[in-house]
Amino acid sequence: MIRCLALLVCFVLAGQAVAEEATRFPASEHERTTLTIRSAADLDAMAPLIRDYQLLYPDVTVVYHEYITADLFGEIAASCAAGRADRERAADVVISSSVDHLIKLANDGCARSHRSIETGRQPDWAAWRNEVFGFTTEPAVIAYRPDLVPREDLPQSRVELVDLLRRKPEAYAGKIGSYDITLSGIGYLFAAYDGRAAAATYGRLVEAFGRANLQVRCCTGDLIADLEAGRIAIGYNLLGSYVYRAMRRGARLGLIVPRDYTLVLARAALVPVTARAVGDAFAFVDYLLSERGQRVSREEAFFFDRTGPLPLGIDGPPSLSAAGAFRPITVGPVLLAVQDRARRARFLAEWRQSIGAEVPKGEGSAGTGGRRAEEP
């Protein structure tokens, strides 16, 4: 879902049909260098961080290229395999929500190692091998339309959601939405970790989804649009940061952080071996991890953090880390195991059978070879 807006330029790579959006943030002082960021994160979220970084480094022009995750991975992997990046396709920083892609790149020798005071402060689960650094705290949440879901129906946990669909099958038939995990990298990742965190509960939940005629979509943006339009009443496992941003702009939505456990994604960054502005790239990574960068992220970009209170207007525990419900998706090689081909095929087959889905023609992968991956 690539859109060409004012100041954005869309490019198509020959033979790959890789579409991207590019935005330039000019240096406010005499330009010393240009930092090129290639990313699968919304410009609306990253712009406040980029502008604040430029207050610290006013002589740096930033060019931000926005992709869907599979296309970003393909381009960076190809550049790494060639051992160089041409001037037009250069990347100094790579950012993705499909963290397994970045782990794969690092594992293949495509990432530069970086140590600093800021990287040393990161928890073990949020960084890997001083090469891949998680810098956001984005929970998987239950979103809903307040006018379509009575207060007494609001599910505070997965068990309560299963019970709701059992008690009121007609009221919610065709009104529950979630990711098509054959297409969405984030959707597959959340589903796989749901299966790990509570296998029996997840099995019952997927069966309940099947009986309720689950509406599946590729991307968070599509699910939010369905909620806003009233086509669905409840969305499961949506990225909380994107839902809350929609709420801030006036969308008629509610957001629940599940109280049984909360899966948390750390969107991550790496500096590729082909980077040109290496020092400035490391400075940008340090900024994202710094107290200042985390404050801007919490207030203007991704809205959640690890230990602070939840944003206003959210139904949930006092904080994401409260009551032992915090389940971070570890930034590390365990993500490669989640994408094991045989394991993934079995998981998808069981999911399709439970929800009554057909095998899509030319099915993509939520892993490194995907047809389409998650970003709104």
Side-chain angles (χ1 to χ4, degrees):
M1 188 168 56
I2 302 298
R3 56 199 186 280
C4 297
L5 301 175
L7 302 179
L8 300 184
V9 182
C10 293
F11 302 87
V12 177
L13 298 184
Q16 287 188 306
V18 175
E20 68 181 70
E21 298 172 352
T23 303
R24 186 178 183 87
F25 295 80
S28 61
E29 297 183 358
H30 178 72
E31 181 183 302
R32 173 177 57 82
T33 190
T34 297
L35 180 71
T36 300
I37 302 172
R38 298 192 183 273
S39 171
D42 263 11
L43 175 64
D44 288 347
M46 291 300 300
L49 292 161
I50 292 170
R51 293 192 179 103
D52 191 58
Y53 167 80
Q54 288 181 303
L55 293 178
L56 299 174
Y57 300 92
D59 56 353
V60 177
T61 289
V62 177
V63 180
Y64 186 80
H65 300 260
E66 185 179 347
Y67 295 74
I68 62 173
T69 52
D71 291 348
L72 175 63
F73 172 79
E75 178 161 319
I76 301 303
S79 177
C80 178
R84 60 181 175 79
D86 61 62
R87 187 172 298 275
E88 291 184 358
R89 312 311 304 172
D92 297 310
V93 179
V94 180
I95 294 171
S96 184
S97 55
S98 286
V99 186
D100 55 310
H101 289 169
L102 301 190
I103 296 298
K104 171 66 173 169
L105 289 170
N107 198 53
D108 289 346
C110 296
R112 292 179 181 269
S113 179
H114 175 53
R115 288 184 173 89
S116 68
I117 293 174
E118 301 299 348
T119 64
R121 290 173 177 166
Q122 302 312 300
D124 291 343
W125 62 266
W128 185 55
R129 217 167 61 178
N130 296 304
E131 294 175 352
V132 181
F133 304 98
F135 67 94
T136 68
T137 304
E138 300 181 63
V141 304
I142 297 171
Y144 63 95
R145 269 278 297 261
D147 57 326
L148 299 179
V149 184
R151 178 166 294 277
E152 64 269 17
D153 286 359
L154 294 179
Q156 307 296 321
S157 68
R158 291 156 183 84
V159 171
E160 289 188 15
L161 180 54
V162 170
D163 183 62
L164 173 65
L165 299 182
R166 179 186 58 80
R167 289 187 291 106
K168 298 186 175 182
E170 294 181 1
Y172 293 100
K175 290 295 186 178
I176 308 297
S178 192
Y179 300 107
D180 182 340
I181 70 171
T182 69
L183 301 179
S184 168
I186 287 177
Y188 176 74
L189 198 58
F190 283 162
Y193 272 80
D194 264 341
R196 287 184 170 197
T201 299
Y202 179 69
R204 292 196 297 271
L205 181 62
V206 176
E207 290 176 2
F209 284 163
R211 292 191 296 271
N213 186 25
L214 180 71
Q215 303 299 298
V216 295
R217 303 289 182 264
C218 75
C219 311
T220 308
D222 291 352
L223 289 163
I224 290 173
D226 282 349
L227 281 165
E228 290 191 76
R231 290 186 289 269
I232 60 175
I234 296 175
Y236 176 72
N237 258 5
L238 276 63
L239 267 178
S241 55
Y242 285 31
V243 176
Y244 192 71
R245 185 181 306 123
M247 293 169 64
R248 280 168 56 104
R249 70 165 189 262
R252 186 167 45 169
L253 299 176
L255 189 159
I256 298 170
V257 174
R259 286 169 171 77
D260 48 353
Y261 64 87
T262 303
L263 295 177
V264 174
L265 173 79
R267 195 178 300 261
L270 66 73
V271 176
V273 293
T274 52
R276 295 170 180 268
V278 176
D280 294 284
F282 288 157
F284 186 75
V285 171
D286 282 345
Y287 165 76
L288 293 176
L289 301 177
S290 70
E291 183 177 341
R292 175 170 175 160
Q294 290 294 296
R295 176 181 55 78
V296 174
S297 180
R298 180 177 63 252
E299 295 177 356
E300 302 181 50
F302 296 100
F303 310 115
F304 295 85
D305 64 17
R306 297 163 191 163
T307 59
L310 295 180
L312 294 176
I314 290 180
D315 185 347
S319 69
L320 290 177
S321 59
F326 187 64
R327 299 287 189 276
I329 295 174
T330 300
V331 176
V334 66
L335 290 171
L336 300 180
V338 169
Q339 298 295 353
D340 176 80
R341 287 181 180 273
R343 182 181 303 175
R344 181 176 183 277
R346 289 193 300 272
F347 191 86
L348 292 181
E350 293 171 358
W351 178 81
R352 289 194 196 95
Q353 183 178 13
S354 294
I355 71 165
E358 296 180 357
V359 179
K361 292 182 179 180
E363 175 196 316
S365 165
T368 56
R371 175 164 62 93
R372 188 171 183 186
E374 164 68 19
E375 281 301 334

